[in-house]
Amino acid sequence: MADRIVEDGVAADRGTHTTVVERRSGGGAGMALIGLALLIAVVVGAFYLFNQNARENAKTDAVTSAASSVGDAAKDVGDAAKDAAK
């Protein structure tokens, strides 16, 4: 019996033993899934950070507004004290 070597679809007869060589590739499906999972994680992280920034800005605006109101009230009290002293 002759060797039959199959390599990339080409067969050749040699000797008395049969050897089959097959080359297969993974196709990249696993890498595509890892890439997709990484992309989803980045999008979720970016969404969280943007929302966190918006919440911090809203808090800062609220504190600034409250401080401005307190400052205006203090000015009014000061003006009233000046008027009462006259």
Side-chain angles (χ1 to χ4, degrees):
M1 178 172 209
D3 263 346
R4 183 166 182 92
I5 298 173
V6 179
E7 187 172 333
D8 292 334
V10 178
D13 290 329
R14 300 187 186 154
T16 60
H17 298 283
T18 301
T19 303
V20 177
V21 178
E22 294 182 14
R23 294 184 184 167
R24 297 182 186 199
S25 63
M31 293 301 290
L33 289 176
I34 291 170
L36 182 62
L38 185 60
L39 178 64
I40 290 171
V42 168
V43 169
V44 168
F47 182 75
Y48 173 77
L49 289 176
F50 286 134
N51 278 342
Q52 184 72 16
N53 190 25
R55 283 184 274 171
E56 288 296 323
N57 287 341
K59 287 179 187 178
T60 300
D61 291 344
V63 169
T64 302
S65 176
S68 177
S69 296
V70 169
D72 291 343
K75 183 180 176 194
D76 291 343
V77 169
D79 290 342
K82 283 182 186 178
D83 288 344
K86 289 182 183 178

